[in-house]
């Protein structure tokens, strides 16, 4: 069965520093992968997605992610974090039936000044 | 453009009372519809999804049920709430036969006392 692992429950970075959030997936074929962001008490907003092609995908708010098949990873990066980036981040993969998304448990990002 | 509405936003209910959460989507036809539950530290758990009117798939045995009386309406119900039903419930939709990308509502916070 498909699964998504986000190894880091909570990360704190300084404002202006770079960020990398890790995501590993388990999937037999080429996965459809997503990163979502959630502010407290809100729904989820799509940051970026990967279906095929270029393994480095650009998203909103200056985020990017790189698909690495050999490592079964889809890590999210941002070169310079802003205080407004503090939120919870979820990685997700489409299930094998193509009917739903399977989410990781999320990584909470705190930004220090 | 498409929009998704979910209500109520906040609900406090006693144990044993019934539940009804509603979700409607506008601006699209024949969407796939989903109910997810989010508990602290556990990520998003898929509860139900629907590919059409009256077609409900349950992912997790539980005290909850879902119905889809109209194409763009999805309802989450319970006859008798348990303490363990407390959580943040998210409705979402996706394009049928699409890539699996989900569009989320703003969520409903349920507290069972």
């Amino acid at each position: 069965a498909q699964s998504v692992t986000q190894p880091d429950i909570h990360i704190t970075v300084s404002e202006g520093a770079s960020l990398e959030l890790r995501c590993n997936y388990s999937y037999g074929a080429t996965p459809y992968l997503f990163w979502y962001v959630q502010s407290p008490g809100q729904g989820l907003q799509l940051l970026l997605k990967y279906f095929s092609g270029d393994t480095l995908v650009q998203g909103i708010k200056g985020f990017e992610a790189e698909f690495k098949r050999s490592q079964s990873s889809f890590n999210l990066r941002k070169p310079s974090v802003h205080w407004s980036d503090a939120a919870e981040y979820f990685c997700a993969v489409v299930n094998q039936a193509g009917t739903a998304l399977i989410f990781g448990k999320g990584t909470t990002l705190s930004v220090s000044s | 453009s498409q929009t998704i509405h979910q209500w109520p936003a906040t609900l406090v209910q006693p144990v044993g009372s019934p539940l009804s959460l509603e979700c409607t989507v506008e601006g699209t036809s024949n969407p796939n519809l989903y109910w997810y539950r989010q508990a602290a530290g556990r990520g998003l758990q898929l509860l139900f999804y629907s590919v059409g009117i009256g077609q409900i798939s349950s992912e997790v045995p539980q005290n909850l049920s879902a119905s889809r009386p109209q194409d763009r309406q999805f309802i989450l119900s319970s006859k008798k709430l348990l303490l363990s039903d407390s959580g943040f419930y998210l409705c979402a939709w996706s394009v049928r036969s699409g890539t699996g990308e989900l569009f989320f509502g703003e969520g409903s916070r349920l507290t069972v006392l």
Side-chain angles (χ1 to χ4, degrees):
Chain A
Q2 299 87 1
S3 64
V4 177
T5 301
Q6 293 180 247
D8 304 305
I9 297 173
H10 190 187
I11 285 182
T12 300
V13 300
S14 299
E15 190 169 15
S18 63
L19 169 71
E20 183 170 31
L21 301 182
R22 296 182 291 165
C23 172
N24 293 98
Y25 65 89
S26 170
Y27 192 83
T30 300
Y32 288 178
L33 293 159
F34 304 82
W35 274 100
Y36 283 84
V37 61
Q38 184 183 33
S39 298
Q42 301 293 314
L44 277 71
Q45 181 184 23
L46 181 69
L47 284 176
L48 46 79
K49 55 194 175 186
Y50 171 78
F51 301 143
S52 64
D54 193 349
T55 56
L56 184 64
V57 293
Q58 303 297 320
I60 63 172
K61 304 183 180 184
F63 285 93
E64 65 178 27
E66 186 171 12
F67 170 63
K68 292 185 177 180
R69 183 188 301 277
S70 61
Q71 298 177 22
S72 297
S73 69
F74 188 56
N75 294 349
L76 181 71
R77 302 194 294 247
K78 187 170 184 177
S80 178
V81 169
H82 188 262
W83 64 267
S84 60
D85 294 324
E88 190 160 17
Y89 292 80
F90 292 94
C91 183
V93 64
V94 175
N95 67 2
Q96 198 154 3
T99 53
L101 290 188
I102 299 170
F103 286 85
K105 294 188 177 182
T107 297
T108 300
L109 173 65
S110 298
V111 180
S112 61
S113 56
Chain B
S1 63
Q2 301 89 2
T3 58
I4 177 168
H5 302 285
Q6 191 179 337
W7 71 94
T10 305
L11 198 59
V12 180
Q13 292 286 96
V15 170
S17 65
L19 170 73
S20 180
L21 299 179
E22 297 195 30
C23 173
T24 60
V25 179
E26 298 177 357
T28 188
S29 298
N30 305 316
N32 290 341
L33 296 173
Y34 305 84
W35 281 109
Y36 282 85
R37 177 168 59 198
Q38 185 176 18
R42 298 184 61 185
L44 279 78
Q45 180 186 36
L46 177 64
L47 300 176
F48 302 95
Y49 71 90
S50 171
V51 298
I53 296 174
Q55 301 178 61
I56 308 295
S57 295
S58 174
E59 291 295 302
V60 181
Q62 62 221 320
N63 185 43
L64 302 169
S65 62
S67 61
R68 185 171 177 173
Q70 301 180 45
D71 180 48
R72 291 170 291 173
Q73 184 183 24
F74 206 24
I75 298 172
L76 183 69
S77 303
S78 174
K79 293 182 179 179
K80 290 186 177 181
L81 285 168
L82 305 172
L83 287 174
S84 58
D85 291 324
S86 293
F88 193 54
Y89 290 82
L90 289 157
C91 182
W93 72 274
S94 69
V95 175
R96 186 163 305 173
S97 301
T99 59
E101 178 180 349
L102 293 182
F103 302 90
F104 284 87
E106 290 300 306
S108 298
R109 172 74 60 190
L110 171 65
T111 302
V112 182
L113 301 175

